[in-house]
Amino acid sequence: MKQEGKMEDKPNCVVAHPMQQHSYHTAQALENAKLLDSYITTVYYDNNKLLYKVLGKFLGKNNVKRMQSKSIKTASVNVKTFCELRGLIYLLLLRVDKKKIILTQYYKYLTKVFGKKVAKYCKKSKNDMLIMYDTTAYYAFKELKESKVSCKLLLDMSSIPTKNICKIIEEEARKIGKMPDSMRLRFKTAKLLQQNSKSEIELADDVLCGSTFPRDCIKEDYPDKRCFIIPYGVDKCQFTYKKMSEVKNRKVSFVYVGGVEMTKGSQYLLKAWDDLNTDKAVLKMVGDCGYAKNELVSKSNIQYIGFVLKENMPSVYHESDVYIIPSLYEGFSQSLIEAMSCGLPVIATECSGAKMVVKNGENGFIIHPADVNE
């Protein structure tokens, strides 16, 4: 089914994600190219809907802003919402189920019911292409393959395969002799989703990767799988180049952005900072500490800022001097290129996507993960 006004020789694509990640940007780009049939998600903020009006009365200002961020600014994009109430329940669990007692199982259930609805829509609309995301695509891909419809299946890898995540975590646990709580929770999730992750890669006709790191992980097991690298971008009107401070003798400000947990390498950063033992610099940890509260280091030159809304992140970068990303794995770090867009030099591990944008010794330094001395 071709949309009215679209050229007949152009494919019509569906982009589907039960949550968000960079799927909005993909949908918008396809719409700009007149290739988008529809964008499908679960929770999509609409202040005209009674549901969101009611939620707005009970939620705080910041939570309303979080909800408002779940929308595409381009009005011409055809948005469809499936399993909306289930999506809201998942977002609630994300806030309250810090130990992931039922969160991961519910996520698997949500991707199943959502994926089946997406597949049903694609079959009915006779779409040429479906783009879905790692750990969310298995059920839709499986149903469409079994139906033998002529719909090309593209898997967008926002991270690395869960098999590789499990391997990295197990290696780190052996090295340090234990598996800290934050790492155990990541391992539990990756292990539960491992089979679906493997199957969706096998079912995909092609794979999209943000950097060379997830591509190389995929190629280890699937050397013949076609992978296309499409790096993420930054809104340069929002993340503007910072004006260098003329204040002398002030403390140098280092900033870390992301969940404060072991797989993000935060503990290696905190250990390195503790060893440095300096009063001439400050380390700002920006992100949720919920999974690793008992793993934090308390020092006067470390600030735990917590979650910061996207719209306020440019000022965080402008008030900082150096950005650090010590992650054990990333698909391609969005905060890395946001910080660089603001003019910050970076210290980044080689598995964060940094090799795509950092020239070692020029605009930053690339280091090995989990290396405190480095």
Side-chain angles (χ1 to χ4, degrees), residues 3 236 253 279:
Q3 285 189 351
K236 292 182 71 176
S253 176
D279 59 358

Side-chain angles (χ1 to χ4, degrees), residues 93-110:
L93 287 172
L94 205 59
R95 299 278 191 278
V96 300
D97 187 15
K98 295 298 183 182
K99 293 189 178 297
K100 298 189 178 183
I101 296 170
I102 61 172
L103 181 67
T104 305
Q105 289 284 2
Y106 188 84
Y107 177 81
K108 196 171 181 180
Y109 160 74
L110 177 62

Side-chain angles (χ1 to χ4, degrees), residues 197-212:
S197 173
K198 176 178 180 290
S199 297
E200 65 190 9
I201 293 171
E202 293 169 349
L203 289 166
D205 294 305
D206 296 312
V207 180
L208 308 178
C209 301
S211 73
T212 55

Side-chain angles (χ1 to χ4, degrees), residues 274-338:
D274 191 41
D275 291 348
L276 192 63
N277 193 27
T278 180
D279 59 358
K280 296 180 180 180
V282 62
L283 174 63
K284 295 182 290 188
M285 306 289 285
V286 179
D288 185 13
C289 302
Y291 295 134
K293 284 186 177 178
N294 62 338
E295 300 168 19
L296 305 182
V297 175
S298 179
K299 294 196 73 173
S300 60
N301 61 355
I302 301 176
Q303 299 174 6
Y304 295 100
I305 296 174
F307 174 80
V308 174
L309 288 167
K310 183 87 166 179
E311 65 190 62
N312 297 327
M313 281 307 300
S315 62
V316 172
Y317 295 126
H318 290 166
E319 293 164 5
S320 305
D321 300 303
V322 182
Y323 167 90
I324 308 179
I325 177 165
S327 292
L328 304 185
Y329 62 86
E330 298 274 353
F332 187 27
S333 170
Q334 184 69 37
S335 61
L336 169 69
I337 53 176
E338 289 172 356

